[in-house]
Amino acid sequence: MPTFVRTDKCDGCKGQDKTACMYICPHDLMMLDKDGSKTGHAMKAYNQEPEQCWECYSCVKICPQNAIEVRHYADVVPLGASVQPLRGTDSIMWTIKFRNGTMKRFKFPIRTTAEGSINPYADKPEVIMAEIEDHTKLFTHGTHKCDMSQFLK
């Protein structure tokens, strides 16, 4: 379901040229209605094409005012409930509020290593270019090779 902006919470990122949600949206859907001519709410962000929303939650997580919400599917959140993430420096706290007022919170770490420090090929062997076209050898586990020829008979 697409995102929507709670105009009572949105402050347009304090009148900057580009709001946080505009900056982060991978599909360039978020806009700032500077004069209120589009939505009737001046200096408030809005989703210009809700049907194109990828539901990636990027705008929801980055909004400093927690003003962006998502209408959720019933298999994720029961009808009438809401989910709101609150991003910290080392974790994201997800708060689920059910129709009956019950709230549940889940905290997940954002990152355990310094940004840019991961070397995904550290434990992998060097590539042997002569074998690159041989589809019976797989580059999968540690430093040993898996010979698929036994399975291709």
Side-chain angles (χ1 to χ4, degrees):
M1 299 289 196
T3 61
F4 65 97
V5 178
R6 299 270 315 264
T7 55
D8 58 322
K9 291 183 173 183
C10 180
D11 66 358
C13 287
K14 308 264 191 253
Q16 297 178 21
D17 289 338
K18 198 169 190 179
T19 63
C21 58
M22 289 169 67
Y23 168 77
I24 202 74
C25 181
H27 203 49
D28 293 326
L29 297 177
M30 302 308 287
M31 298 295 291
L32 179 62
D33 191 358
K34 291 185 179 185
D35 61 3
S37 62
K38 303 274 188 196
T39 65
H41 303 282
M43 294 309 294
K44 306 288 182 178
Y46 69 99
N47 185 338
Q48 66 178 339
E49 292 185 76
E51 66 279 356
Q52 296 295 321
C53 182
W54 297 354
E55 302 162 24
C56 68
Y57 276 87
S58 293
C59 62
V60 177
K61 290 186 268 187
I62 202 169
C63 181
Q65 301 301 322
N66 292 326
I68 303 175
E69 295 184 13
V70 176
R71 292 177 181 93
H72 305 281
Y73 293 102
D75 57 344
V76 176
V77 177
L79 187 64
S82 66
V83 173
Q84 186 67 47
L86 180 60
R87 189 174 194 272
T89 56
D90 64 344
S91 63
I92 295 180
M93 174 75 74
W94 293 88
T95 302
I96 301 175
K97 185 176 181 183
F98 295 92
R99 286 184 296 195
N100 65 3
T102 303
M103 293 178 66
K104 298 234 180 217
R105 289 192 169 95
F106 303 93
K107 186 175 183 179
F108 295 94
I110 292 175
R111 158 178 312 279
T112 56
T113 59
E115 186 173 344
S117 68
I118 294 174
N119 182 357
Y121 303 108
D123 298 332
K124 301 295 181 192
E126 290 292 320
V127 175
I128 303 169
M129 293 305 289
E131 295 178 358
I132 202 84
E133 294 293 326
D134 185 352
H135 300 291
T136 63
K137 296 186 175 65
L138 300 177
F139 182 77
T140 55
H141 299 88
T143 58
H144 69 277
K145 292 183 181 180
C146 179
D147 187 354
M148 292 297 292
S149 61
Q150 62 184 337
F151 301 110
L152 300 174
K153 294 179 183 177

